[in-house]
Amino acid sequence: METLVLIAVIVLAIAVGMRWIHLLNAQHDARISAYRFSEPMPRPPGLPGDTGRRGRHTDADR
């Protein structure tokens, strides 16, 4: 009898843990989707649109 109670408690603890992890993952996904990613800093006025390494390549370079 004690073994059955112990197994039931372990199964219940695993189920509660799985549910808790699922809820935390859903909360984390919602937080990621709500965050708006953008450029780290605004471009200073007077610079061309793309100053990165990829912006300087032309079709002849490839």
Side-chain angles (χ1 to χ4, degrees):
M1 181 67 181
E2 295 163 356
T3 306
L4 291 176
V5 171
L6 179 64
I7 291 173
V9 167
I10 291 173
V11 168
L12 182 66
I14 290 172
V16 168
M18 287 173 51
R19 179 67 177 157
W20 189 38
I21 290 172
H22 176 72
L23 290 174
L24 287 174
N25 282 337
Q27 182 183 23
H28 182 67
D29 290 342
R31 195 175 295 150
I32 287 175
S33 65
Y35 184 77
R36 183 171 179 219
F37 292 96
S38 63
E39 296 204 20
M41 295 183 68
R43 284 189 207 281
L47 283 180
D50 191 0
T51 59
R53 289 175 52 186
R54 286 183 274 169
R56 290 181 274 216
H57 290 292
T58 61
D59 288 335
D61 292 338
R62 295 180 189 186

